Structure formats: C-alpha cells, structure tokens
Amino acid sequence: MRSIRTISIALLAIIAISTAHAQSLPGGFVYLRDIDPTIIQDIRYATPNNFVGRPLAGYGAGECVVKREVGLRLKAVQQELATQNLSLKMFDCYRPARASLDMVRWSQNGHETAADRRYNPKIPKTELFRLGYIASRSQHSTGAALDLTLVDLKADNSARIDPSRSYADCTAPVAARLPEGSVDMGTGYDCTDEKGHTAAPSISPDQRAWRRRLVAAMARQGFVNYSKEWWHFSLPGAGGAAYDFPIQPRRN
C-alpha cells in the first residue's frame, strides 16, 4: 500500500512538472515556431544587433511569442507569400514591459555613440520618447504587435555582420548599411528617420513597391501598419493587458 502511494505521489509530481512546462507561457500566448516553423525569425532585441547595442531586459531567448490568433493569421500570410517565393521575417513580437522601460532608460542615459547614430541619424536619442519612436507602454507587450519584413527566398541572403567593418546609417543604400538578409525596404529596421515612414516619398519606386506588397499581404489578414514605421503591424482587438513575463527558450 505504501509503495502504491509512493508511486502515486511520484506520478502526480511528474504530471505537475509536465503541466508547468506546458504552461510556461500565459494563457493565449504561443511560440510562433509552434504555429509555423517556416517563418524566419531574427529577434533583434535578444542580441546586441539593435539600437541599444545589447540584449534588452526580458529577452532570454530569440523566440517570437504572440497571441494564438496573431500566430494563426501570420501563418495565413506566410502561406500566401510562399507561392511567390517570399517569406516573412520577424524582428520583434511580444515584448516584456521591462524591455520598453529599458529603452526609455537608454534614451535618457546622456550618452550618444556612433552605433546609436546608425539607427538615429538625425534625431537625438533624448527626443525619441517625445516623438513617439519609443514608449514606456508598448502594444508589443500585449502580444498583438509585430515588427517584420519580407525575404526573397530566391535571393542570396547569406550576408552577415562584419564586426570589423564600419557601416553607414540606416538610411544609406542597402549595400552600405548593416545587412539584414531581407528585401530592400529603403531603410534598415528600427530606423528613426522620416525615410522609415511607410509612405516616405524619398525612397525608390522598387522600395515603395516592396513596402506596399508587405502592407497589402498583412492587411488581407487584418493587420494594420503604423505609419511612422514600415516594419510595425498590429492586429486590432487581439491585444488586451500588457505583460511582463520574460521570453524563455522554447521547449521541444
């Protein structure tokens, strides 16, 4: 009887541990990789390759986490793009609230470096909060906002960042700025410049066409673009409360 009870307790412990693993994300959130593993991910805030120059608070893994409905709609976008030899590439998805506060602190730290200027060629970092480029509260923290671009699967996307090279700022021609392995949208990701506005008149016809193609593909699944950032989209009605749970490695 005692051994049966011991076994039962052990089984309950195993079940509890398994349940804890299965519930590592709050209800309604999923890893996008579990919805569609074909969508390319380059979660920049989990790396030093971003405007802050280091991983942001709360980014313990380079994984795209979203609300389930958002993930399913992204899968539908990806299926449409696949017929055109294109893919989505995710730069940011759910963002812990602590990461937004980390951005604000960075903007107010009183230091301006050459690396900062790659992303903010004309706007002092102290002005980014006032102008709406960063915020203490972000839609990303609800799991319903995304930063993304398009990848031409027929192109050579193998270029990687060379730490010994001095790159031009995010508004420079694509060959001179940091490589992103994606189509040329006219600026790099997170470029706080008028050229990064979705309808910017200063970009080329080809760059404008790529932006329109991305906006149209996302709009067909209900996503809305933010006019000051060609890469930023949200799904109205899918948000809700902001969260601050850290992004952890996905369990297989």
Side-chain angles (χ1 to χ4, degrees), residues 181-231:
S182 54
V183 302
D184 181 10
M185 292 287 189
T187 75
Y189 167 56
D190 257 355
C191 189
T192 52
D193 186 87
E194 288 185 1
K195 202 173 178 181
H197 295 187
T198 308
S202 55
I203 59 176
S204 73
D206 284 346
Q207 294 162 348
R208 189 172 297 110
W210 278 120
R211 291 187 186 189
R212 287 173 176 166
R213 197 166 180 177
L214 175 60
V215 170
M218 295 294 287
R220 282 191 283 274
Q221 289 300 321
F223 292 99
V224 176
N225 173 248
Y226 174 47
S227 64
K228 285 188 175 183
E229 299 175 345
W230 60 257
W231 54 85

Side-chain angles (χ1 to χ4, degrees), residues 225-247:
N225 173 248
Y226 174 47
S227 64
K228 285 188 175 183
E229 299 175 345
W230 60 257
W231 54 85
H232 180 98
F233 293 84
S234 58
L235 184 62
Y243 287 78
D244 190 38
F245 63 89
I247 301 170

